[in-house]
Amino acid sequence: MRRPGTALVLDLGAAVAASLLLWALWPRVAAPVDPLRNTAFVVPWMVVVLRWAMRRTGAAPATFTALPWTAAAALLALLLREQSALGGSPAVWAGALGLLLVLALARLIPRLRRLRRPSDPVFFVLPLAVYLVLQPWALAERPPDGDEPYYLLIAHSLSEDLDTDLADEYRDGAWRRFIERPLEPQPGDPRGPAGAIHSRHDPLLPALLAPAYRLAGRAGAAATLAAITAGVAWLTLGLAMRLWPTRRTGALLAWALLAFTPPLLVYSHQIWIEVPAALFALVAFDRLQALSAQMRAGHSPTVRDLLLFTVAACLLPLLKARLLLVAVPLVVLALVRLRRHLLTRVGALVVLPPTAVVAALLVYNAERFGNPLKMYGRGDLEALASPASAYVAGLVGMFWDCAFGLFAAAPVWLLLVPALWLVARTAWAGDRSHRRLLVDVGVVSTPYLMAIAPRLEWYGGWAPAFRYPLVLLPILALLLVPLLERRTTGTRIACAALVPVTIGLALVAVAVPGWTYHLADGSSTLLQLLGADLRADVARLFPSTVRPRAATWVWVLGTLGLAPLVAAGRIGGRRRVRARGVGAALLLGALALLPQLAHRLPTRVVDVEDAWVTKTRGELVPERWVIQRPLHRGGWLIPAGGMLTAPVVPGGERVVLVLDAARRGFRGPDTLEIRAGDQLLDTWTVEGGAWRTHQIGPIDWPADAPLVLYNPQKARRKTVGVIVDRVAFDWQDGSTEQASPGAPP
């Protein structure tokens, strides 16, 4: 039997040989510029990591013997894919690579229970390797967007000039190193003497990225974020096992769920502050638990723990000012736990550094930006005075929204609801450890979540789902451990139904990274594609807080109602196996039937910009990625000669139609024809630029007739026409007397 060290050396030699062979053969067999080329180069190294991890668990060397042959076959297929039927679909090959990783992890993760120490490097190296093997494809397919280019530009300035003056970077086009479109200063960027231009973004994240950026550009910066992301998962596992030393399986499963599913998987290469913020918040929360344990045991707090806690709490607001809402509750909790030491140097070490950092930050912002809170002002404070409905909608949307919610990114995170119910129930029953955890998570999370709930930025814009609350996700993942350790019949049924859907969505996110970005229109990219394919409004059956609807509250109440059942006790013997299979089949069957249900439910509202509505001409209004898009009334511009067609499912004998529209242009009114199939219902003359409402009916609706909106004007500029927002259908039964078109009800 080979020694582990010898086997690792042989694996590394094989990986080097495979990479060199690919480097030599690729230009001869495949296209020289190929988005999968760099991915293929890192696949052999992923194989090395998987085999090393398997040996760390004490498994026989032959356990993963087939893995190198599988990898060799995959690499050969990649080389020859230009001659295959799938040659023009590199996304399919990226998805296939993701599926191979899923199969390998499914075999490896259960064996990791043999590792007794949560500090084992496997728990860091394994997710890091997964992130790195997926990054080349993701970086090639999705250019940096939103704030990402500006963070990279600051990192470029720090690595080249050791300053944050971006004037020369804009002048010399340094942005060409990582983005093709021209990059210009953002509104609100401060100007210094002699034409200096500084960014409104804080420099801490670019400073973390600058060394790796200097070596490898954007890829180096993304690799740094991958290492930070792997560190977040690793520290979460260590904290979970310290909190529950007898629940190792639950902690391991929570680690796997956090590390290998969206949203953390998606954010592992995004150049944003959320993952580093999650790391700092987790370190502070971890040391807070250690300090609390020391105080309960009657020991004095250690200097090491105090320093780690203080440094992490101080770094949070340096990433972004809004993270004060996470740092301050952490410091308050620490002071409460250390109240016996408040008048000693222990209290000074906890209070003085964060206070000094905040004071210095306020002074710096006032000097540089003319505002101590930098970009935040009266409008942000006014948002806190929003009605209770805005807070409820925001909190629901963070988790349930079909485009930007956590549960939409990875449905298996729905286990958080029964997990929270289980922890709360046991805390109520007198479990002190659960009670302390619940209090700590609540105190740390509530101010931040309540502050961002009524705001619109978290709806995404230029980011995948769950961006703003991501900083708290590792702390929330700790709540999963008791539920996953018990592995009740309800939990197994939920996992059997939700895990395959989560894997499918994760593979889509890997294969087509752009599909993780959604338009704030009450739908998601996948639901829009499904609706366009089925010619039905599938999205209305899923929760949204951009467009609140009945489905939103059905999903929320259904999830909350099922939580006690998911956390319920065990069913023994064959009944347990039968119950798991039947329950999982019923849940998956219900999900599969939802698209078919869209063909049968009566049409209530047609949002004409949706993909399931057929358009012959026109454009989306406002543009796709306009800032704070939910503030704008979305619609579709119907220019001269343009037409919209939407299938209609009748819900009664007669109907009242209500249309919302506005005109764009400066020359005279536009006429809009409203039809049911070939039957003209009414003609509406739309004047002025303000939004107007038009009502038709009640009228009889012909069977199987679609709604048709047509602009019969003569050809003119395509940017002039009628903007239609939505058409509402109010179905009625009763009298068959025909009303004249356009008559009031």
Side-chain angles (χ1 to χ4, degrees):
M1 180 182 296
R2 296 193 188 101
R3 295 180 179 179
T6 303
L8 179 60
V9 170
L10 292 176
D11 286 346
L12 290 173
V16 171
S19 296
L20 292 176
L21 184 63
L22 283 169
W23 185 268
L25 292 180
W26 201 280
R28 301 174 182 272
V29 182
V33 180
D34 191 333
L36 285 174
R37 184 178 187 181
N38 292 336
T39 299
F41 291 157
V42 297
V43 167
W45 301 96
M46 184 71 215
V47 174
V48 172
V49 171
L50 289 171
R51 287 170 58 82
W52 168 77
M54 185 60 75
R55 284 194 295 269
R56 295 282 298 183
T57 66
T63 303
F64 259 26
T65 299
L67 186 60
W69 297 105
T70 303
L75 293 173
L76 181 61
L78 282 172
L79 278 171
L80 301 178
R81 80 177 196 284
E82 296 293 336
Q83 288 75 41
S84 71
L86 297 176
S89 303
V92 175
W93 295 94
L97 172 62
L99 182 59
L100 289 176
L101 285 177
V102 169
L103 296 176
L105 292 174
R107 186 167 186 182
L108 175 59
I109 288 175
R111 296 179 179 273
L112 296 180
R113 287 181 293 181
R114 302 178 182 180
L115 301 177
R116 308 306 300 174
R117 295 182 298 108
S119 59
D120 194 291
V122 167
F123 297 113
F124 172 79
V125 174
L126 189 59
L128 176 61
V130 171
Y131 303 151
L132 292 179
V133 81
L134 297 178
Q135 273 192 7
W137 167 254
L139 297 181
E141 283 296 290
R142 182 71 190 181
D145 209 340
D147 294 336
E148 290 183 279
Y150 297 96
Y151 282 121
L152 289 171
L153 194 64
I154 301 171
H156 180 93
S157 181
L158 289 171
S159 63
E160 296 287 341
D161 307 329
L162 297 179
D163 62 28
T164 59
D165 180 7
L166 304 181
D168 53 337
E169 275 71 29
Y170 286 119
R171 183 185 63 248
D172 300 336
W175 41 265
R176 292 189 180 92
R177 187 174 179 185
F178 47 80
I179 193 173
E180 295 181 358
R181 63 176 175 84
L183 198 64
E184 298 178 352
Q186 292 178 293
D189 283 354
R191 304 299 176 107
I197 302 175
H198 299 276
S199 175
R200 65 183 187 179
H201 299 292
D202 297 289
L204 179 56
L205 175 60
L208 295 175
L209 304 179
Y213 179 91
R214 175 75 177 181
L215 295 175
R218 182 192 175 199
T224 302
L225 264 297
I228 294 174
T229 310
V232 167
W234 194 23
L235 289 177
T236 303
L237 175 66
L239 176 56
M241 288 192 174
R242 283 192 294 276
L243 289 175
W244 292 291
T246 61
R247 296 173 176 175
R248 301 181 58 84
T249 299
L252 178 64
L253 293 176
W255 165 81
L257 192 156
L258 178 67
F260 301 115
T261 67
L264 207 62
L265 180 70
V266 173
Y267 281 93
S268 62
H269 61 273
Q270 305 284 359
I271 311 298
W272 281 313
I273 58 99
E274 275 68 28
V275 170
L279 177 68
F280 297 151
L282 184 62
V283 170
F285 192 83
D286 182 12
R287 291 304 89 195
L288 175 67
Q289 303 306 310
L291 292 171
S292 299
Q294 292 165 12
M295 297 304 297
R296 289 194 302 271
H299 301 151
S300 297
T302 63
V303 175
R304 173 180 173 274
D305 290 334
L306 287 170
L307 285 175
L308 285 173
F309 173 85
T310 303
V311 170
C314 289
L315 289 176
L316 278 169
L318 295 180
L319 278 173
K320 204 75 170 179
R322 70 169 183 268
L323 296 175
L324 273 171
L325 296 171
V326 179
V328 170
L330 284 166
V331 172
V332 170
L333 275 175
L335 293 177
V336 171
R337 303 290 164 78
L338 300 172
R339 54 187 177 273
R340 288 180 294 174
H341 300 273
L342 287 183
L343 300 180
T344 66
R345 60 182 179 181
V346 170
L349 189 58
V350 173
V351 173
L352 293 182
T355 304
V357 167
V358 171
L361 185 63
L362 295 177
V363 172
Y364 174 82
N365 288 340
E367 178 70 22
R368 175 63 58 89
F369 299 94
N371 179 5
L373 298 178
K374 198 162 60 172
M375 295 180 294
Y376 303 102
R378 180 182 301 177
D380 301 275
L381 296 177
E382 291 175 351
L384 297 178
S386 300
S389 59
Y391 283 92
V392 173
L395 290 172
V396 167
M398 289 179 201
F399 295 92
W400 277 273
D401 188 272
C402 64
F404 306 109
L406 173 65
F407 304 150
V412 72
W413 279 101
L414 278 164
L415 293 174
L416 264 180
V417 180
L420 179 60
W421 182 87
L422 178 63
V423 172
R425 188 189 69 179
T426 53
W428 181 266
D431 189 313
R432 292 185 178 181
S433 62
H434 283 195
R435 186 181 304 166
R436 285 192 297 267
L437 178 64
L438 203 59
V439 169
D440 289 351
V441 172
V443 170
V444 172
S445 303
T446 300
Y448 183 75
L449 293 180
M450 295 303 291
I452 65 176
R455 299 184 60 88
L456 299 176
E457 290 91 340
W458 71 265
Y459 282 113
W462 289 279
F466 208 65
R467 174 184 170 184
Y468 280 78
L470 187 73
V471 58
L472 300 172
L473 186 62
I475 296 175
L476 295 176
L478 297 171
L479 299 173
L480 291 168
V481 176
L483 180 73
L484 296 177
E485 180 69 28
R486 295 176 76 223
R487 287 173 290 169
T488 64
T489 300
T491 307
R492 292 175 185 270
I493 290 174
C495 289
L498 298 176
V499 167
V501 181
T502 301
I503 291 174
L505 291 175
L507 292 178
V508 169
V510 167
V512 194
W515 285 7
T516 60
Y517 294 72
H518 305 296
L519 182 63
D521 63 354
S523 184
S524 70
T525 304
L526 284 176
L527 291 179
Q528 289 280 23
L529 293 172
L530 185 60
D533 184 62
L534 297 177
R535 294 281 287 135
D537 189 5
V538 178
R540 70 173 176 153
L541 300 176
F542 292 86
S544 171
T545 46
V546 179
R547 291 180 187 162
R549 48 201 178 213
T552 302
W553 310 111
V554 169
W555 279 84
V556 172
L557 295 176
T559 305
L560 295 176
L562 288 174
L565 298 178
V566 173
R570 300 174 182 272
I571 300 176
R574 295 182 179 179
R575 291 177 57 202
R576 179 181 60 189
V577 178
R578 190 181 302 115
R580 291 206 304 265
V582 172
L586 289 175
L587 284 175
L588 286 173
L591 291 174
L593 288 176
L594 284 179
Q596 300 303 320
L597 190 61
H599 282 288
R600 301 181 180 276
L601 291 177
T603 301
R604 300 295 180 187
V605 176
V606 175
D607 289 288
V608 298
E609 70 266 32
D610 289 350
W612 66 279
V613 179
T614 304
K615 297 101 172 173
T616 56
R617 297 180 65 185
E619 62 184 32
L620 187 67
V621 178
E623 63 180 356
R624 182 170 178 81
W625 297 122
V626 67
I627 295 176
Q628 293 190 344
R629 198 175 196 280
L631 289 178
H632 303 268
R633 293 189 66 162
W636 188 269
L637 174 70
I638 309 177
M643 179 185 295
L644 303 180
T645 306
V648 174
V649 180
E653 297 178 5
R654 299 166 65 76
V655 67
V656 175
L657 299 181
V658 180
L659 292 82
D660 293 333
R663 186 180 181 280
R664 186 165 78 177
F666 301 99
R667 295 182 181 178
D670 268 88
T671 300
L672 190 67
E673 293 183 358
I674 301 100
R675 302 179 179 181
D678 296 329
Q679 177 182 335
L680 179 64
L681 302 177
D682 195 8
T683 301
W684 179 20
T685 300
V686 185
E687 299 181 278
W691 285 96
R692 301 177 184 275
T693 300
H694 184 65
Q695 182 172 307
I696 306 172
I699 57 174
D700 293 331
W701 190 268
D704 300 325
L707 171 69
V708 178
L709 304 180
Y710 175 62
N711 187 342
Q713 304 300 309
K714 294 182 180 180
R716 59 174 74 148
R717 289 185 301 170
K718 64 180 182 179
T719 57
V720 176
V722 179
I723 304 172
V724 181
D725 177 11
R726 53 169 40 195
V727 182
F729 289 72
D730 183 11
W731 297 99
Q732 302 175 359
D733 292 320
S735 173
T736 59
E737 180 181 353
Q738 178 71 40
S740 60

